[in-house]
Amino acid sequence: MREQIIAASIDSLRQEGLRFSVDTLAERLRISKKTIYKYFPDKEALARALYQTYYDEAVRRLNALLGAHAAPDALLHLYFDSKMMIRDDIFNKYKLNDAIHAYAAGRHDALWAQLCAALPGASAADGDALRIIIDGSFEKLCRVKAAPDAVIERLVTLL
């Protein structure tokens, strides 16, 4: 049940964004809030488990993409999804502690480092500039809640 709660939490955060709550999670799983709190004593414990599981899976997916020599757009879609998971509004709304935010941001940074090395034409020298361009585009997409496809397609052509 613990893994089901974590998986549903990740899906709910993706789909519902700021509407996500323990109440909606319990309703989605057809369990009581008490059952959730049996596995996670508080919101922070659930958030820690959610982000650890999310980033473990993101790294696994990235490694699979790299092993398959995936196109840059697949890599950027994965990175965009990661960016969506660490939006400041999520941490502000849920009042998650700084340690969880630092953990998630650190995992996001590590994902970027691994991904950047695989982007065509990206060198260590221009990695920071490239990240500013990509992160800026993705932050704007997060704010306007637009689909990333057209922007990622354009970013790939710029690479």
Side-chain angles (χ1 to χ4, degrees):
M1 177 54 77
R2 183 178 195 281
E3 290 76 23
Q4 289 175 305
I5 293 169
I6 293 170
S9 296
I10 293 169
D11 288 343
S12 292
L13 191 57
R14 275 191 187 121
Q15 294 171 10
E16 300 167 21
L18 297 178
R19 293 184 316 257
F20 170 70
S21 69
V22 174
D23 289 323
T24 60
L25 177 62
E27 186 177 309
R28 181 177 190 185
L29 290 170
R30 294 189 170 105
I31 59 175
S32 69
K33 281 175 50 175
K34 187 176 181 178
T35 301
I36 293 171
Y37 287 119
K38 174 182 167 185
Y39 293 95
F40 303 97
D42 55 36
K43 182 172 40 178
E44 284 75 20
L46 176 58
R48 265 192 305 280
L50 179 159
Y51 281 102
Q52 180 177 0
T53 301
Y54 173 82
Y55 278 103
D56 288 351
E57 175 62 18
V59 168
R60 188 199 64 71
R61 286 185 9 236
L62 178 59
N63 288 330
L65 289 170
L66 295 175
H69 305 290
D73 65 318
L75 301 174
L76 290 177
H77 274 283
L78 177 68
Y79 186 69
F80 176 74
D81 189 57
S82 174
K83 189 72 171 168
M84 290 290 291
M85 295 294 287
I86 64 160
R87 299 183 329 262
D88 285 339
D89 58 349
I90 288 174
F91 287 91
N92 292 339
K93 188 225 184 223
Y94 298 116
K95 297 177 179 51
L96 297 174
N97 69 36
D98 291 339
I100 295 169
H101 187 263
Y103 172 78
R107 295 289 305 264
H108 179 74
D109 291 345
L111 193 69
W112 167 258
Q114 190 176 359
L115 183 146
C116 181
L119 290 174
S123 67
D126 66 7
D128 289 340
L130 189 58
R131 186 168 186 193
I132 289 168
I133 294 165
I134 291 171
D135 277 359
S137 299
F138 288 176
E139 285 169 15
K140 180 71 172 183
L141 281 171
C142 289
R143 281 195 302 275
V144 299
K145 296 177 179 40
D149 298 338
V151 171
I152 287 175
E153 182 180 317
R154 186 68 177 131
L155 286 169
V156 169
T157 62
L158 293 172
L159 290 173

